Every structure is written in C-alpha cells, then in structure tokens.
Amino acid sequence: MKAKWELTGFEDYFSALQEAGKNINTVSREGLAEVGQMLQSAMVSRCPSDKLKPYIKIFTPSVEGDYNYVAVGYVRDPAYTPKEIAIIANSVEFGSVHNAPMPHIRPAVRALRSAVNSRIAAKLKAAGYVD
Amino acid sequence: MTTIFERIKTALDTLAPAIPYALGQYITSTGGELPDTFIVYSLISGVPEQHADNVETYRSYHVQISIFARAGLVTLPNVDAAMLVQGFTKGPINQLPYDNGSRHFGLARDYFYLEDL
C-alpha cells in the first residue's frame, strides 16, 4: 500500500501558463519531491518493524505531461518491494486473523495531509504561480 | 463525552444477527476455535482538524473494521449501515489475504468520524 499525492484540476491554469510561456510542471514536481520525503519520514518513524523500514520508498515523481504525482510507501512493483515484504507489510498495516493492525502508512498521510498541501501551495506561491 | 471506541461498540452491538467482535485482535481461550465470522476494530488515527483560540474544536478519527469470514466475502454483516447510523462516513475497502491456518477470508473497511469538541 502507498499514498499517492496528485495535483489535479489545474488543466485550464496550465494551458494559460503554457500560453504565457511558463512551465508550472517543473515547480510542481519539485514540490512533490519535497513532500514525498516528508511523507516517507513520517511513515518510517511510525513503522514498527526495522525489517520493513527500508522498503518504504518514494516512487519517482512523474516527469512528463501535466499529470503530476508522487507515490510513497510500499510501491506495488517487484523492483521496489519483494513479494514477501509486501505480504508482511500488508499484514502489519491492516492486521490479520493473528495480529492486530499496526498502521503506519495511513496515519502518516492523515497527520501530514494539511502540511503537504501547504508545502505544495507555498512552493507554487514562491515561484509566483499562485497568489 | 462518548469516546470513539464507545461509538464503534454501539454500532457493532446493533448488528443482527449478532457478530462476535474484539478490539485489535480476536483472542480465544487456549485451544479455542475462532468463530466462523467475527469482527475486529481498530483506531488508525485521530488527528486535530481545527483550533480556535488555542483550543481544539474538531478532531477526525480514522477507524478500521475488519470482517473475517470462512464462508467468503459475498454475504457479510451490514457494518456500513450500523456505522453510518453512528455518524461515521465510509472510507476505502481493502481485501485481506486469505488465512490458510484459520481458513478465514478478510475484508477491511475504513470509516471516518469528525468529532465536534
């Protein structure tokens, strides 16, 4: 499981910016990369298992087009998360018949939701793209 | 003030027919068998949402209700209705891996509750 932060609803705005010769995508991706690290730190600090912590990763933010996102957590890709780790992580996060949940992905997202949105907004504001 | 755990308990107590439930993990007596269908509930997070004059005014709770059933996931207790009556809103649903040992299928349902303090 992972958290995915998307910046959407900017289509018209992007079009206007493109017409103005500006590129908001670069700033958006920089902001997403920063909040990706914030989320990763929050998830790792809440993770109860030292074995799992190295697998809480940031999936490289999108690099092209106007669809900007960053995914953080146990990325559903064998190159990032081996199958046995994914099974254990699922059991730890959601619990099972034999163990209570020890959530660390979802609480991190809930706790940082406001901070993440503020950081992205600040990034865009600092670049002069929003008031 | 009603705690979030009391709210969940109140909701689960209304299920008909009654389903055994537990907080965190369902534990049986030594050598005891788990029920065919049972529920486990957990608090995932509780975060402040709003402050006024340095006083917390709103807090949101994220809870998980896991339903385990040997008969599969087609017919499950109507937890949604019970939780909605108690003021929760519905969140994501995740299927849990089949447990080969106990032979239970599992479904985790997330709910949210916004508490006006």
Side-chain angles (χ1 to χ4, degrees):
Chain A
M1 80 289 333
K2 62 183 181 299
K4 192 172 183 180
W5 229 270
E6 301 176 0
L7 288 180
T8 57
F10 290 104
E11 289 78 7
D12 293 341
Y13 192 56
F14 284 141
S15 299
L17 284 168
Q18 283 172 352
E19 288 173 10
K22 295 183 177 179
N23 186 0
I24 198 171
N25 286 321
T26 303
V27 176
S28 296
R29 289 174 197 138
E30 287 174 3
L32 287 168
E34 288 180 16
V35 300
Q37 291 177 353
M38 290 166 58
L39 286 163
Q40 183 187 35
S41 296
M43 292 170 185
V44 168
S45 68
R46 289 170 170 79
C47 180
S49 165
D50 287 340
K51 184 177 182 181
L52 292 177
K53 286 179 180 178
Y55 296 97
I56 298 174
K57 296 177 180 176
I58 302 171
F59 187 77
T60 308
S62 51
V63 293
E64 57 186 32
D66 289 339
Y67 176 54
N68 297 306
Y69 67 90
V70 64
V72 189
Y74 303 101
V75 179
R76 192 185 291 264
D77 182 334
Y80 286 78
T81 312
K83 182 181 176 183
E84 64 273 18
I85 293 295
I87 292 170
I88 295 169
N90 191 74
S91 177
V92 170
E93 176 73 17
F94 292 106
S96 75
V97 170
H98 307 290
N99 65 280
M102 289 179 278
H104 49 289
I105 301 296
R106 291 171 291 171
V109 173
R110 292 290 289 179
L112 285 190
R113 188 178 45 172
S114 173
V116 161
N117 288 334
S118 297
R119 185 76 196 101
I120 292 172
K123 192 81 179 173
L124 293 172
K125 191 174 180 180
Y129 290 148
V130 293
D131 294 329
Chain B
M1 178 182 290
T2 306
T3 69
I4 193 67
F5 298 105
E6 287 174 308
R7 286 189 188 283
I8 300 170
K9 184 179 184 304
T10 301
L12 297 180
D13 280 341
T14 65
L15 292 174
I19 304 293
Y21 63 84
L23 170 64
Q25 182 180 357
Y26 197 100
I27 299 173
T28 60
S29 56
T30 304
E33 175 84 354
L34 285 167
D36 285 342
T37 302
F38 65 96
I39 288 172
V40 172
Y41 64 95
S42 303
L43 175 63
I44 303 302
S45 66
V47 295
E49 295 288 352
Q50 180 180 285
H51 293 78
D53 297 330
N54 294 324
V55 175
E56 184 183 336
T57 53
Y58 283 103
R59 174 172 289 257
S60 69
Y61 292 96
H62 179 179
V63 303
Q64 177 182 321
I65 308 288
S66 299
I67 308 166
F68 295 101
R70 288 197 172 103
L73 302 176
V74 175
T75 305
L76 295 175
N78 194 355
V79 175
D80 267 356
M83 294 295 279
L84 291 180
V85 166
Q86 282 302 311
F88 289 87
T89 56
K90 294 194 285 185
I93 298 173
N94 293 284
Q95 184 177 342
L96 304 176
Y98 177 71
D99 191 282
N100 287 313
S102 72
R103 296 178 288 110
H104 283 91
F105 297 89
L107 188 71
R109 291 180 175 274
D110 287 9
Y111 296 92
F112 299 96
Y113 184 82
L114 182 63
E115 186 174 41
D116 184 348
L117 299 166

